Amino acid sequence: MLSKTDVINFFDERASSWDAEMIRNDDIINTILDNAEVTENKTVLDVACGTGVLFPDYLKRNVKSILGVDISKAMIEIAAGKIEGSRIKVICTDMEEADLHEQFDCVVVYNAFPHFSDPQKIISNLARHTKKGGTMTIAHGMGKKMLDNLHHNSAHKVSNGLMEADKLAALFEPYFKVTVCISEDNMYQIVGRRI
């Protein structure tokens, strides 16, 4: 079981250099958001939003609103500094435990899933925050092998490793109908529609 304190400290320490060190592939991000049905007038919950790396991508799609949540206060402070207008809000909270008293059209966990201590618990809680007929996606802009190698070197104390896609899809099944299951060299994504 991962220590949440270790996870918070790890990301707090890296927040200031996060954007500069981020590797982005716009084509993959667009594919992920297309598969997750992040489109115009949707409400988006960005879980483990970090510094708000996907905020501009959501805004380009003209979503109705974005709520970014992250367990790292330092990450949220940087994300808050990027907010322009009233469509984006951010909260520092632990989404394994939090009740936001709100449901969203699209719930997105991007480049973060191995850092949650209890995969079943986070999926169950995120299901409660997904509107019926809405989508939840867990996605990475790289494949499982590459991500696990990266984490083995730099983040082994704060990563469970990325689950095999079929095992993660099985965790979705009590709450979601799985519509996308991709595990390739350059991306990983599970999408489910809330039952």
Side-chain angles (χ1 to χ4, degrees):
M1 185 77 81
L2 298 179
S3 158
K4 289 183 185 182
T5 301
D6 287 348
V7 171
I8 292 166
N9 291 339
F10 179 89
F11 287 102
D12 279 352
E13 289 167 7
R14 286 158 180 78
S16 63
S17 61
W18 195 257
D19 288 350
E21 294 176 8
M22 186 181 66
I23 300 166
R24 247 188 94 94
N25 183 316
D26 289 340
D27 290 339
I28 289 174
I29 289 171
N30 282 322
T31 298
I32 286 168
L33 296 180
D34 286 347
N35 290 344
E37 300 178 17
V38 176
T39 56
E40 189 172 2
N41 292 320
K42 298 275 183 86
T43 57
V44 176
L45 174 61
D46 186 339
V47 179
C49 68
T51 61
V53 296
L54 292 183
F55 291 175
D57 301 283
Y58 300 137
L59 292 174
K60 282 181 199 166
R61 290 166 177 263
N62 202 25
V63 300
K64 183 177 182 180
S65 66
I66 304 155
L67 177 59
V69 297
D70 203 286
I71 200 169
S72 162
K73 186 176 179 194
M75 289 283 193
I76 282 293
E77 286 171 355
I78 293 170
K82 296 178 179 179
I83 294 175
E84 295 177 19
S86 60
R87 286 194 289 170
I88 306 174
K89 294 186 170 91
V90 295
I91 301 172
C92 184
T93 191
D94 175 1
M95 278 310 299
E96 282 185 0
E97 308 292 339
D99 185 351
L100 304 175
H101 306 287
E102 188 176 355
Q103 290 185 318
F104 300 82
D105 297 309
C106 301
V107 176
V108 177
V109 183
Y110 175 69
N111 284 357
F113 192 68
H115 305 295
F116 289 98
S117 61
D118 188 337
Q120 193 161 4
K121 187 173 186 180
I122 187 68
I123 289 170
S124 172
N125 197 30
L126 295 180
R128 292 188 315 122
H129 289 88
T130 308
K131 289 180 182 176
K132 187 172 182 176
T135 61
M136 182 175 82
T137 187
I138 293 172
H140 289 271
M142 63 180 67
K144 175 179 170 23
K145 184 177 178 182
M146 185 183 296
L147 182 71
D148 287 347
N149 285 340
L150 179 70
H151 283 180
H152 178 74
N153 293 328
S154 63
H156 65 279
K157 289 184 179 178
V158 295
S159 175
N160 284 320
L162 193 53
M163 297 176 93
E164 294 292 341
D166 59 338
K167 289 182 181 172
L168 181 54
L171 291 181
F172 272 53
E173 287 175 0
Y175 317 99
F176 299 91
K177 180 184 186 305
V178 174
T179 58
V180 174
C181 184
I182 299 169
S183 185
E184 298 172 349
D185 289 343
N186 63 347
M187 74 174 274
Y188 174 103
Q189 183 175 29
I190 310 296
V191 180
R193 184 174 310 287
R194 185 71 167 102
I195 299 166

mmCIF file of all heavy atoms in Angstrom, residues 123-162:
data_model
loop_
_atom_site.group_PDB
_atom_site.id
_atom_site.type_symbol
_atom_site.label_atom_id
_atom_site.label_comp_id
_atom_site.label_asym_id
_atom_site.label_seq_id
_atom_site.Cartn_x
_atom_site.Cartn_y
_atom_site.Cartn_z
ATOM 1 N N ILE A 123 -11.892 3.992 -8.036
ATOM 2 C CA ILE A 123 -12.868 3.792 -9.110
ATOM 3 C C ILE A 123 -14.284 3.852 -8.558
ATOM 4 O O ILE A 123 -15.170 4.489 -9.139
ATOM 5 C CB ILE A 123 -12.592 2.476 -9.866
ATOM 6 C CG1 ILE A 123 -11.308 2.639 -10.690
ATOM 7 C CG2 ILE A 123 -13.766 2.094 -10.762
ATOM 8 C CD1 ILE A 123 -10.789 1.368 -11.291
ATOM 9 N N SER A 124 -14.514 3.226 -7.425
ATOM 10 C CA SER A 124 -15.830 3.270 -6.796
ATOM 11 C C SER A 124 -16.241 4.697 -6.467
ATOM 12 O O SER A 124 -17.375 5.117 -6.729
ATOM 13 C CB SER A 124 -15.811 2.415 -5.518
ATOM 14 O OG SER A 124 -17.000 2.586 -4.790
ATOM 15 N N ASN A 125 -15.312 5.477 -5.909
ATOM 16 C CA ASN A 125 -15.648 6.852 -5.560
ATOM 17 C C ASN A 125 -15.863 7.710 -6.803
ATOM 18 O O ASN A 125 -16.770 8.540 -6.836
ATOM 19 C CB ASN A 125 -14.584 7.477 -4.652
ATOM 20 C CG ASN A 125 -15.111 8.714 -3.956
ATOM 21 O OD1 ASN A 125 -16.300 8.841 -3.679
ATOM 22 N ND2 ASN A 125 -14.229 9.647 -3.685
ATOM 23 N N LEU A 126 -15.048 7.507 -7.819
ATOM 24 C CA LEU A 126 -15.228 8.289 -9.045
ATOM 25 C C LEU A 126 -16.534 7.922 -9.751
ATOM 26 O O LEU A 126 -17.161 8.788 -10.375
ATOM 27 C CB LEU A 126 -14.035 8.122 -9.977
ATOM 28 C CG LEU A 126 -12.714 8.684 -9.435
ATOM 29 C CD1 LEU A 126 -11.593 8.477 -10.443
ATOM 30 C CD2 LEU A 126 -12.842 10.155 -9.057
ATOM 31 N N ALA A 127 -16.958 6.676 -9.636
ATOM 32 C CA ALA A 127 -18.244 6.271 -10.210
ATOM 33 C C ALA A 127 -19.385 7.087 -9.582
ATOM 34 O O ALA A 127 -20.316 7.503 -10.283
ATOM 35 C CB ALA A 127 -18.477 4.780 -10.004
ATOM 36 N N ARG A 128 -19.286 7.340 -8.287
ATOM 37 C CA ARG A 128 -20.320 8.145 -7.606
ATOM 38 C C ARG A 128 -20.346 9.582 -8.122
ATOM 39 O O ARG A 128 -21.352 10.273 -7.991
ATOM 40 C CB ARG A 128 -20.081 8.190 -6.092
ATOM 41 C CG ARG A 128 -20.281 6.870 -5.404
ATOM 42 C CD ARG A 128 -20.224 6.944 -3.889
ATOM 43 N NE ARG A 128 -19.130 7.725 -3.362
ATOM 44 C CZ ARG A 128 -19.268 8.785 -2.549
ATOM 45 N NH1 ARG A 128 -20.463 9.197 -2.188
ATOM 46 N NH2 ARG A 128 -18.221 9.422 -2.083
ATOM 47 N N HIS A 129 -19.236 10.030 -8.697
ATOM 48 C CA HIS A 129 -19.128 11.397 -9.193
ATOM 49 C C HIS A 129 -19.365 11.499 -10.707
ATOM 50 O O HIS A 129 -19.182 12.556 -11.296
ATOM 51 C CB HIS A 129 -17.749 11.973 -8.837
ATOM 52 C CG HIS A 129 -17.598 12.238 -7.380
ATOM 53 N ND1 HIS A 129 -17.154 11.287 -6.492
ATOM 54 C CD2 HIS A 129 -17.868 13.345 -6.645
ATOM 55 C CE1 HIS A 129 -17.140 11.796 -5.275
ATOM 56 N NE2 HIS A 129 -17.566 13.041 -5.341
ATOM 57 N N THR A 130 -19.762 10.382 -11.335
ATOM 58 C CA THR A 130 -20.012 10.346 -12.774
ATOM 59 C C THR A 130 -21.513 10.252 -13.020
ATOM 60 O O THR A 130 -22.179 9.372 -12.478
ATOM 61 C CB THR A 130 -19.321 9.125 -13.426
ATOM 62 O OG1 THR A 130 -17.943 9.102 -13.051
ATOM 63 C CG2 THR A 130 -19.437 9.171 -14.944
ATOM 64 N N LYS A 131 -22.041 11.164 -13.824
ATOM 65 C CA LYS A 131 -23.466 11.145 -14.152
ATOM 66 C C LYS A 131 -23.826 9.850 -14.876
ATOM 67 O O LYS A 131 -23.004 9.301 -15.623
ATOM 68 C CB LYS A 131 -23.824 12.311 -15.070
ATOM 69 C CG LYS A 131 -23.794 13.664 -14.415
ATOM 70 C CD LYS A 131 -24.167 14.744 -15.428
ATOM 71 C CE LYS A 131 -24.085 16.118 -14.796
ATOM 72 N NZ LYS A 131 -24.344 17.185 -15.803
ATOM 73 N N LYS A 132 -25.045 9.382 -14.691
ATOM 74 C CA LYS A 132 -25.523 8.230 -15.451
ATOM 75 C C LYS A 132 -25.427 8.565 -16.939
ATOM 76 O O LYS A 132 -25.859 9.621 -17.376
ATOM 77 C CB LYS A 132 -26.968 7.909 -15.067
ATOM 78 C CG LYS A 132 -27.462 6.636 -15.679
ATOM 79 C CD LYS A 132 -28.809 6.224 -15.152
ATOM 80 C CE LYS A 132 -29.207 4.905 -15.784
ATOM 81 N NZ LYS A 132 -30.449 4.384 -15.263
ATOM 82 N N GLY A 133 -24.794 7.680 -17.701
ATOM 83 C CA GLY A 133 -24.570 7.918 -19.117
ATOM 84 C C GLY A 133 -23.296 8.697 -19.399
ATOM 85 O O GLY A 133 -22.889 8.820 -20.551
ATOM 86 N N GLY A 134 -22.667 9.231 -18.349
ATOM 87 C CA GLY A 134 -21.411 9.948 -18.496
ATOM 88 C C GLY A 134 -20.249 8.975 -18.630
ATOM 89 O O GLY A 134 -20.423 7.755 -18.550
ATOM 90 N N THR A 135 -19.048 9.519 -18.825
ATOM 91 C CA THR A 135 -17.878 8.674 -19.033
ATOM 92 C C THR A 135 -16.815 8.912 -17.972
ATOM 93 O O THR A 135 -16.686 10.017 -17.428
ATOM 94 C CB THR A 135 -17.225 8.922 -20.404
ATOM 95 O OG1 THR A 135 -16.797 10.294 -20.483
ATOM 96 C CG2 THR A 135 -18.176 8.602 -21.538
ATOM 97 N N MET A 136 -16.073 7.858 -17.687
ATOM 98 C CA MET A 136 -14.859 7.971 -16.891
ATOM 99 C C MET A 136 -13.738 7.345 -17.694
ATOM 100 O O MET A 136 -13.920 6.287 -18.311
ATOM 101 C CB MET A 136 -14.969 7.256 -15.551
ATOM 102 C CG MET A 136 -13.687 7.446 -14.721
ATOM 103 S SD MET A 136 -13.769 6.753 -13.071
ATOM 104 C CE MET A 136 -13.403 5.045 -13.386
ATOM 105 N N THR A 137 -12.573 8.005 -17.691
ATOM 106 C CA THR A 137 -11.416 7.433 -18.362
ATOM 107 C C THR A 137 -10.208 7.462 -17.445
ATOM 108 O O THR A 137 -10.022 8.403 -16.669
ATOM 109 C CB THR A 137 -11.079 8.159 -19.679
ATOM 110 O OG1 THR A 137 -10.035 7.431 -20.336
ATOM 111 C CG2 THR A 137 -10.615 9.580 -19.455
ATOM 112 N N ILE A 138 -9.434 6.407 -17.533
ATOM 113 C CA ILE A 138 -8.100 6.356 -16.936
ATOM 114 C C ILE A 138 -7.159 6.170 -18.118
ATOM 115 O O ILE A 138 -7.301 5.212 -18.893
ATOM 116 C CB ILE A 138 -7.983 5.220 -15.915
ATOM 117 C CG1 ILE A 138 -8.881 5.533 -14.723
ATOM 118 C CG2 ILE A 138 -6.525 5.018 -15.495
ATOM 119 C CD1 ILE A 138 -9.023 4.426 -13.710
ATOM 120 N N ALA A 139 -6.230 7.113 -18.274
ATOM 121 C CA ALA A 139 -5.403 7.113 -19.481
ATOM 122 C C ALA A 139 -3.987 7.575 -19.181
ATOM 123 O O ALA A 139 -3.746 8.323 -18.227
ATOM 124 C CB ALA A 139 -6.036 8.018 -20.538
ATOM 125 N N HIS A 140 -3.078 7.131 -20.027
ATOM 126 C CA HIS A 140 -1.674 7.545 -19.967
ATOM 127 C C HIS A 140 -1.178 7.815 -21.372
ATOM 128 O O HIS A 140 -1.529 7.087 -22.301
ATOM 129 C CB HIS A 140 -0.800 6.463 -19.311
ATOM 130 C CG HIS A 140 -1.049 6.361 -17.848
ATOM 131 N ND1 HIS A 140 -0.362 7.110 -16.934
ATOM 132 C CD2 HIS A 140 -1.962 5.651 -17.157
ATOM 133 C CE1 HIS A 140 -0.832 6.846 -15.721
ATOM 134 N NE2 HIS A 140 -1.804 5.970 -15.836
ATOM 135 N N GLY A 141 -0.363 8.845 -21.495
ATOM 136 C CA GLY A 141 0.198 9.216 -22.780
ATOM 137 C C GLY A 141 1.442 8.423 -23.127
ATOM 138 O O GLY A 141 2.305 8.898 -23.863
ATOM 139 N N MET A 142 1.553 7.229 -22.585
ATOM 140 C CA MET A 142 2.615 6.282 -22.940
ATOM 141 C C MET A 142 2.116 4.886 -22.595
ATOM 142 O O MET A 142 1.128 4.739 -21.873
ATOM 143 C CB MET A 142 3.931 6.603 -22.229
ATOM 144 C CG MET A 142 3.897 6.516 -20.730
ATOM 145 S SD MET A 142 5.491 6.898 -19.919
ATOM 146 C CE MET A 142 5.699 8.621 -20.277
ATOM 147 N N GLY A 143 2.794 3.884 -23.094
ATOM 148 C CA GLY A 143 2.382 2.513 -22.842
ATOM 149 C C GLY A 143 2.778 2.030 -21.456
ATOM 150 O O GLY A 143 3.583 2.653 -20.753
ATOM 151 N N LYS A 144 2.206 0.907 -21.059
ATOM 152 C CA LYS A 144 2.442 0.321 -19.736
ATOM 153 C C LYS A 144 3.922 0.051 -19.480
ATOM 154 O O LYS A 144 4.459 0.411 -18.435
ATOM 155 C CB LYS A 144 1.629 -0.975 -19.590
ATOM 156 C CG LYS A 144 1.900 -1.713 -18.287
ATOM 157 C CD LYS A 144 1.071 -2.968 -18.173
ATOM 158 C CE LYS A 144 1.458 -3.865 -17.017
ATOM 159 N NZ LYS A 144 2.142 -3.317 -15.888
ATOM 160 N N LYS A 145 4.597 -0.574 -20.438
ATOM 161 C CA LYS A 145 6.004 -0.936 -20.229
ATOM 162 C C LYS A 145 6.867 0.310 -20.019
ATOM 163 O O LYS A 145 7.686 0.358 -19.085
ATOM 164 C CB LYS A 145 6.514 -1.737 -21.432
ATOM 165 C CG LYS A 145 7.934 -2.243 -21.271
ATOM 166 C CD LYS A 145 8.351 -3.101 -22.459
ATOM 167 C CE LYS A 145 9.784 -3.561 -22.298
ATOM 168 N NZ LYS A 145 10.238 -4.350 -23.456
ATOM 169 N N MET A 146 6.669 1.324 -20.855
ATOM 170 C CA MET A 146 7.455 2.552 -20.733
ATOM 171 C C MET A 146 7.171 3.258 -19.406
ATOM 172 O O MET A 146 8.090 3.712 -18.716
ATOM 173 C CB MET A 146 7.153 3.493 -21.898
ATOM 174 C CG MET A 146 8.023 4.745 -21.896
ATOM 175 S SD MET A 146 7.605 5.906 -23.229
ATOM 176 C CE MET A 146 8.019 4.921 -24.655
ATOM 177 N N LEU A 147 5.892 3.325 -19.035
ATOM 178 C CA LEU A 147 5.531 3.987 -17.782
ATOM 179 C C LEU A 147 6.101 3.243 -16.582
ATOM 180 O O LEU A 147 6.672 3.855 -15.666
ATOM 181 C CB LEU A 147 4.011 4.102 -17.654
ATOM 182 C CG LEU A 147 3.557 4.817 -16.392
ATOM 183 C CD1 LEU A 147 3.879 6.300 -16.473
ATOM 184 C CD2 LEU A 147 2.079 4.606 -16.149
ATOM 185 N N ASP A 148 5.967 1.930 -16.579
ATOM 186 C CA ASP A 148 6.505 1.156 -15.455
ATOM 187 C C ASP A 148 8.021 1.310 -15.347
ATOM 188 O O ASP A 148 8.559 1.405 -14.239
ATOM 189 C CB ASP A 148 6.107 -0.322 -15.579
ATOM 190 C CG ASP A 148 4.626 -0.560 -15.264
ATOM 191 O OD1 ASP A 148 3.970 0.351 -14.710
ATOM 192 O OD2 ASP A 148 4.126 -1.659 -15.569
ATOM 193 N N ASN A 149 8.715 1.353 -16.486
ATOM 194 C CA ASN A 149 10.165 1.578 -16.464
ATOM 195 C C ASN A 149 10.501 2.956 -15.908
ATOM 196 O O ASN A 149 11.428 3.104 -15.106
ATOM 197 C CB ASN A 149 10.767 1.418 -17.866
ATOM 198 C CG ASN A 149 10.863 -0.027 -18.301
ATOM 199 O OD1 ASN A 149 10.843 -0.939 -17.477
ATOM 200 N ND2 ASN A 149 10.949 -0.244 -19.598
ATOM 201 N N LEU A 150 9.754 3.959 -16.324
ATOM 202 C CA LEU A 150 9.960 5.322 -15.835
ATOM 203 C C LEU A 150 9.758 5.391 -14.325
ATOM 204 O O LEU A 150 10.579 5.947 -13.594
ATOM 205 C CB LEU A 150 9.010 6.283 -16.553
ATOM 206 C CG LEU A 150 9.075 7.739 -16.138
ATOM 207 C CD1 LEU A 150 10.378 8.374 -16.614
ATOM 208 C CD2 LEU A 150 7.886 8.498 -16.709
ATOM 209 N N HIS A 151 8.681 4.801 -13.854
ATOM 210 C CA HIS A 151 8.385 4.815 -12.422
ATOM 211 C C HIS A 151 9.388 3.986 -11.624
ATOM 212 O O HIS A 151 9.717 4.337 -10.494
ATOM 213 C CB HIS A 151 6.958 4.327 -12.163
ATOM 214 C CG HIS A 151 5.927 5.360 -12.476
ATOM 215 N ND1 HIS A 151 4.591 5.122 -12.321
ATOM 216 C CD2 HIS A 151 6.021 6.634 -12.939
ATOM 217 C CE1 HIS A 151 3.911 6.203 -12.664
ATOM 218 N NE2 HIS A 151 4.763 7.128 -13.055
ATOM 219 N N HIS A 152 9.864 2.897 -12.214
ATOM 220 C CA HIS A 152 10.846 2.062 -11.526
ATOM 221 C C HIS A 152 12.100 2.870 -11.198
ATOM 222 O O HIS A 152 12.695 2.712 -10.134
ATOM 223 C CB HIS A 152 11.201 0.843 -12.382
ATOM 224 C CG HIS A 152 12.250 -0.036 -11.772
ATOM 225 N ND1 HIS A 152 11.970 -0.865 -10.702
ATOM 226 C CD2 HIS A 152 13.567 -0.190 -12.059
ATOM 227 C CE1 HIS A 152 13.094 -1.493 -10.351
ATOM 228 N NE2 HIS A 152 14.063 -1.108 -11.155
ATOM 229 N N ASN A 153 12.464 3.750 -12.110
ATOM 230 C CA ASN A 153 13.668 4.552 -11.916
ATOM 231 C C ASN A 153 13.462 5.734 -10.984
ATOM 232 O O ASN A 153 14.302 6.011 -10.137
ATOM 233 C CB ASN A 153 14.190 5.054 -13.266
ATOM 234 C CG ASN A 153 14.686 3.920 -14.130
ATOM 235 O OD1 ASN A 153 15.196 2.931 -13.623
ATOM 236 N ND2 ASN A 153 14.513 4.047 -15.427
ATOM 237 N N SER A 154 12.350 6.459 -11.160
ATOM 238 C CA SER A 154 12.228 7.734 -10.454
ATOM 239 C C SER A 154 11.111 7.798 -9.425
ATOM 240 O O SER A 154 11.097 8.704 -8.596
ATOM 241 C CB SER A 154 12.017 8.860 -11.472
ATOM 242 O OG SER A 154 10.793 8.662 -12.160
ATOM 243 N N ALA A 155 10.160 6.873 -9.478
ATOM 244 C CA ALA A 155 8.975 7.016 -8.632
ATOM 245 C C ALA A 155 8.528 5.701 -8.010
ATOM 246 O O ALA A 155 7.355 5.529 -7.689
ATOM 247 C CB ALA A 155 7.842 7.620 -9.467
ATOM 248 N N HIS A 156 9.466 4.772 -7.811
ATOM 249 C CA HIS A 156 9.061 3.440 -7.351
ATOM 250 C C HIS A 156 8.373 3.453 -5.984
ATOM 251 O O HIS A 156 7.535 2.609 -5.705
ATOM 252 C CB HIS A 156 10.248 2.475 -7.357
ATOM 253 C CG HIS A 156 11.329 2.832 -6.385
ATOM 254 N ND1 HIS A 156 12.279 3.794 -6.682
ATOM 255 C CD2 HIS A 156 11.601 2.381 -5.139
ATOM 256 C CE1 HIS A 156 13.100 3.913 -5.637
ATOM 257 N NE2 HIS A 156 12.709 3.082 -4.702
ATOM 258 N N LYS A 157 8.688 4.417 -5.121
ATOM 259 C CA LYS A 157 8.058 4.468 -3.792
ATOM 260 C C LYS A 157 6.640 5.011 -3.831
ATOM 261 O O LYS A 157 5.896 4.856 -2.866
ATOM 262 C CB LYS A 157 8.899 5.324 -2.840
ATOM 263 C CG LYS A 157 10.195 4.688 -2.423
ATOM 264 C CD LYS A 157 10.915 5.539 -1.411
ATOM 265 C CE LYS A 157 12.218 4.886 -0.975
ATOM 266 N NZ LYS A 157 12.951 5.719 -0.022
ATOM 267 N N VAL A 158 6.268 5.663 -4.948
ATOM 268 C CA VAL A 158 4.951 6.298 -5.019
ATOM 269 C C VAL A 158 4.130 5.789 -6.212
ATOM 270 O O VAL A 158 3.218 6.451 -6.688
ATOM 271 C CB VAL A 158 5.070 7.843 -5.066
ATOM 272 C CG1 VAL A 158 5.659 8.369 -3.774
ATOM 273 C CG2 VAL A 158 5.884 8.297 -6.264
ATOM 274 N N SER A 159 4.443 4.586 -6.682
ATOM 275 C CA SER A 159 3.715 4.011 -7.808
ATOM 276 C C SER A 159 3.453 2.531 -7.580
ATOM 277 O O SER A 159 4.351 1.785 -7.204
ATOM 278 C CB SER A 159 4.523 4.191 -9.104
ATOM 279 O OG SER A 159 3.874 3.536 -10.174
ATOM 280 N N ASN A 160 2.217 2.132 -7.847
ATOM 281 C CA ASN A 160 1.855 0.713 -7.820
ATOM 282 C C ASN A 160 2.158 0.027 -9.141
ATOM 283 O O ASN A 160 1.924 -1.167 -9.279
ATOM 284 C CB ASN A 160 0.346 0.560 -7.549
ATOM 285 C CG ASN A 160 -0.015 0.808 -6.108
ATOM 286 O OD1 ASN A 160 0.701 0.391 -5.198
ATOM 287 N ND2 ASN A 160 -1.114 1.507 -5.888
ATOM 288 N N GLY A 161 2.643 0.785 -10.120
ATOM 289 C CA GLY A 161 2.758 0.257 -11.473
ATOM 290 C C GLY A 161 1.399 0.315 -12.143
ATOM 291 O O GLY A 161 0.373 0.440 -11.479
ATOM 292 N N LEU A 162 1.392 0.244 -13.444
ATOM 293 C CA LEU A 162 0.136 0.340 -14.190
ATOM 294 C C LEU A 162 -0.456 -1.050 -14.356
ATOM 295 O O LEU A 162 0.229 -1.979 -14.782
ATOM 296 C CB LEU A 162 0.415 0.991 -15.551
ATOM 297 C CG LEU A 162 -0.778 1.471 -16.356
ATOM 298 C CD1 LEU A 162 -1.680 2.391 -15.535
ATOM 299 C CD2 LEU A 162 -0.299 2.185 -17.610
#
